[in-house]
Amino acid sequence: MADSVPVSDVVCVDDMGKARVMEPVLADKVSDLKDQCAEFLEDIELYRNAVDNFIGVLDNLATQIEREKRDAIIVSNELASLPIRTEQQMATLRSQIEQKTVELDRYRIEHRTLQKIESEQTDLINRLSFQN
């Protein structure tokens, strides 16, 4: 038992009369270290809360950014389709103009025909009126 330490070197009595397993200077250092650890843990907890709040803010910003990106994509798609829709509307209007032009020509021909018939009937009425 050459490695054994005498009990008087390990067990001490502190100023308050408590038995200590270590020296008072070492016990004070351990107590200070314990206090520092508690403060460190409090600081770590504050840091964790700050990081959690920061992550929450970033999550909210990310959600807003995604919403804005989606809206921007929708607007971009609408702008990209605008020339196509305009061309389609122009083609539809051209087609309607052509149809109306053909209809107008048909009505003009029909009007001339009706005028001719009216003229012939007026002539016929006049001839018949003069014969009597």
Side-chain angles (χ1 to χ4, degrees):
M1 292 212 156
D3 292 341
S4 67
V5 177
V7 173
S8 63
D9 290 343
V10 176
V11 177
C12 300
V13 177
D14 66 5
D15 298 337
M16 301 169 89
K18 292 185 179 180
R20 300 274 183 180
V21 178
M22 62 182 82
E23 295 178 16
V25 174
L26 187 59
D28 288 341
K29 288 183 181 180
V30 168
S31 178
D32 288 344
L33 184 59
K34 181 180 174 184
D35 292 341
Q36 288 176 359
C37 286
E39 289 176 15
F40 180 73
L41 288 175
E42 289 173 9
D43 291 345
I44 291 291
E45 185 64 25
L46 289 173
Y47 178 75
R48 188 186 63 79
N49 289 337
V51 168
D52 288 346
N53 289 336
F54 182 70
I55 288 173
V57 168
L58 288 181
D59 285 343
N60 287 337
L61 287 175
T63 302
Q64 289 176 346
I65 288 170
E66 287 301 319
R67 189 178 313 120
E68 291 295 327
K69 281 173 51 179
R70 186 176 54 246
D71 292 346
I73 289 171
I74 290 170
V75 169
S76 174
N77 288 343
E78 288 177 0
L79 285 174
S81 68
L82 189 60
I84 295 170
R85 282 195 316 234
T86 303
E87 187 60 39
Q88 289 173 342
Q89 288 175 343
M90 288 177 62
T92 301
L93 291 174
R94 281 189 209 108
S95 173
Q96 289 175 350
I97 289 171
E98 288 175 18
Q99 289 174 358
K100 296 297 180 182
T101 304
V102 168
E103 188 176 349
L104 178 63
D105 289 343
R106 186 174 50 85
Y107 285 144
R108 282 183 182 158
I109 292 170
E110 186 176 337
H111 183 258
R112 276 190 240 126
T113 303
L114 288 173
Q115 282 178 332
K116 184 178 177 183
I117 291 173
E118 178 187 25
S119 174
E120 289 174 357
Q121 287 178 352
T122 303
D123 285 346
L124 181 62
I125 290 172
N126 284 338
R127 277 190 320 206
L128 290 175
S129 294
F130 287 128
Q131 283 182 1
N132 286 335

